[in-house]
Structures are given as C-alpha cells and as structure tokens.
Amino acid sequence: MLNKVALEHILFLDIETVPEKEHFDDLSEAAKELWEQKTKYQRKEEYTAEEFYDRAGIWAEFGKIVCISVGYFHFSGENRTFRTTSFYGTEPELLKSFKLLLNSHFSTPKHLLCGHNAKEFDFPYIARRMIIHSIALPYKLNLFGKKPWEIPHLDTMELWKFGDYKHFTSLKLLAHILGIPSPKDDIDGSQVSQVYYKEKDIDRIITYCEKDVITTAQVFLRLRNEEILDPNEIKNI
C-alpha cells in the first residue's frame, strides 16, 4: 500500500521549538506554578522547576515554534527533484504562512503530511500553537471526528515500528541503519534554544530543520525500496 501513494502528493515536514520565554524568571507567577505542576512527574526529585525549564520547548503549552521546514517531490518527465523551503519569523506569522501552503497546495483528500515521530510531536504541536494564537486549523490538521483511516498523516517512525508500540527509533539512527548518507550536523535538537536565544542565528536552525526534512524523505524512499535522492536532486526554493 505504501508504494501506491504518489510521492508528489506528500508534504514532508519538521519543526524546531524552543521555550516560549528565554528564562524561567520571565514567566508569570501563575505560569511558574503551572510549569512546576506540569513537570513534577518528569522532574521527580532530581531537578527544580527552574533547572528543568530548558526543556520547556517540548511542550506546546510552554514552548513555541521557531521554524517549520517542508519538502515535496516534483516530477518532470523522468526527472525528479525534492524541493525544500522554510517558514520562520514570529510564531503567528510562520503558522499563517504554513497554513496558506497547506490550503493552497496540499488540501485535497489525496494529499498527505509526513514527518518522523510527527504524529506524537510535530502535528499536535502545530495544531495546539495555532489554537493558542486563534488561528483556525487547516483541514489537514483538524482531526476532530475523523476515523483513524481518515487521518491524512504518515509517520516514518510509526511505519518502522510495524505495529510494535514500544519501539522508538530516532531519525538519525534510522538513517544510519538504512545507509542514508547524512552530512555532519552543525547542531542538534538540544542546542536549538541556545542558538535561537543566545546566538540569534535562525539560519543555523533552518539548515538543521531542512536536513531533517530531507532525511525523512530519504527514509520514506527506503521504506518503499526506492532509490534515495542524489544531492543534485535536492533544491532549496
């Protein structure tokens, strides 16, 4: 069934997130208390709420999106290209731009969204942040009332699980074992907040995010037993 999906109908994506406020002390007293309650189980007795705050970007209630990168296949005769682009700026601006892309080019029933661990992270995170900013959900993210087989989402980690609900495999590991070449990363996910707030270098974050989109597409090709992309087939627009 996976091979029956037309590649040009899939929008591959990845997001990068950071804590909504740079420092724990920047939070209101009410938010500090809610953060302490939210993370109590994860922190146990090892960290204070303030010490744990560098992980706030993981939760949509306390984090924000600083970059959404997307990629899609384009075919011209026998030639294929994989085109990438990114949305950044203020969070409301990037969310509205991403929504416009979905509504303009990926809104029909045949279109699908794909990411790695995206069903657990990227898709719900984007939807929650849209609601927080009073942005009406686009059709592809509005899952209310939909049956499981009606949800237009693919997840390369879920595909790799083959029904094993206990199994987690990072994108980096999956690329490695599938023989997908990956350039040496400039940063990793744990450094995004520092690069954003301290270095104020959004370009590094965009580059990192787009690499993950490309790797996700490569993994998807390998899961279909197809030739992976040559660097010459990858275009940034």
Side-chain angles (χ1 to χ4, degrees):
M1 291 295 291
L2 196 61
N3 290 75
K4 293 183 179 180
V5 178
L7 288 173
E8 62 267 31
H9 295 163
I10 305 172
L11 183 69
F12 296 86
L13 65 88
D14 184 55
I15 68 174
E16 297 303 329
T17 65
V18 300
E20 188 168 18
K21 302 292 185 181
E22 182 177 1
H23 303 292
F24 180 74
D25 285 340
D26 296 332
L27 298 176
S28 67
E29 291 305 314
K32 287 179 181 178
E33 184 177 344
L34 290 167
W35 170 253
E36 186 170 359
Q37 294 173 0
K38 175 77 173 179
T39 60
K40 186 176 181 179
Y41 175 77
Q42 288 84 3
R43 291 185 292 108
K44 298 184 170 60
E45 301 298 325
E46 298 177 31
Y47 302 96
T48 66
E50 182 173 3
E51 290 169 340
F52 204 69
Y53 185 68
D54 62 347
R55 309 184 196 187
I58 295 173
W59 287 275
E61 298 85 355
F62 294 95
K64 67 178 180 180
I65 301 169
V66 296
C67 177
I68 302 178
S69 294
V70 300
Y72 58 92
F73 285 92
H74 176 76
F75 293 89
S76 178
E78 296 183 358
N79 298 320
R80 69 175 181 179
T81 56
F82 186 73
R83 302 178 177 182
T84 63
T85 193
S86 295
F87 304 99
Y88 56 96
T90 69
E91 190 178 42
E93 288 172 347
L94 68 86
L95 288 172
K96 289 176 182 176
S97 296
F98 175 68
K99 177 183 174 180
L100 181 61
L101 173 71
L102 292 184
N103 288 342
S104 300
H105 301 288
F106 292 91
S107 62
T108 70
K110 66 186 178 184
H111 288 117
L112 300 168
L113 307 182
C114 182
H116 190 78
N117 196 32
K119 288 188 177 183
E120 290 289 327
F121 186 70
D122 304 70
F123 301 147
Y125 202 114
I126 294 171
R128 289 165 185 158
R129 294 308 295 178
M130 283 187 170
I131 289 173
I132 287 170
H133 289 294
S134 299
I135 299 171
L137 293 179
Y139 174 75
K140 292 298 178 182
L141 291 176
N142 193 343
L143 308 184
F144 302 124
K146 285 188 172 67
K147 299 177 176 62
W149 56 89
E150 296 174 331
I151 295 174
H153 297 166
L154 294 170
D155 190 321
T156 48
M157 191 176 81
E158 181 181 76
L159 292 170
W160 181 251
K161 284 182 176 181
F162 291 96
D164 180 357
Y165 291 101
K166 305 182 297 298
H167 199 70
F168 175 87
T169 306
S170 70
L171 181 60
K172 188 174 183 178
L173 173 58
L174 195 51
H176 174 74
I177 62 176
L178 293 178
I180 296 168
S182 178
K184 188 174 182 180
D185 285 331
D186 178 37
I187 58 174
D188 62 40
S190 66
Q191 298 171 299
V192 170
S193 181
Q194 177 181 328
V195 173
Y196 180 77
Y197 280 118
K198 302 296 184 186
E199 302 177 21
K200 303 186 186 304
D201 192 346
I202 189 63
D203 289 335
R204 288 180 69 194
I205 296 172
I206 291 169
T207 299
Y208 171 67
C209 196
E210 290 182 353
K211 283 181 183 178
D212 277 355
V213 171
I214 294 166
T215 302
T216 300
Q218 299 279 50
V219 167
F220 190 80
L221 289 172
R222 287 284 284 108
L223 290 171
R224 287 162 55 111
N225 200 31
E226 295 184 13
E227 290 285 336
I228 62 172
L229 291 160
D230 181 273
N232 293 326
E233 295 179 302
I234 301 169
K235 311 292 182 183
N236 183 260
I237 59 173

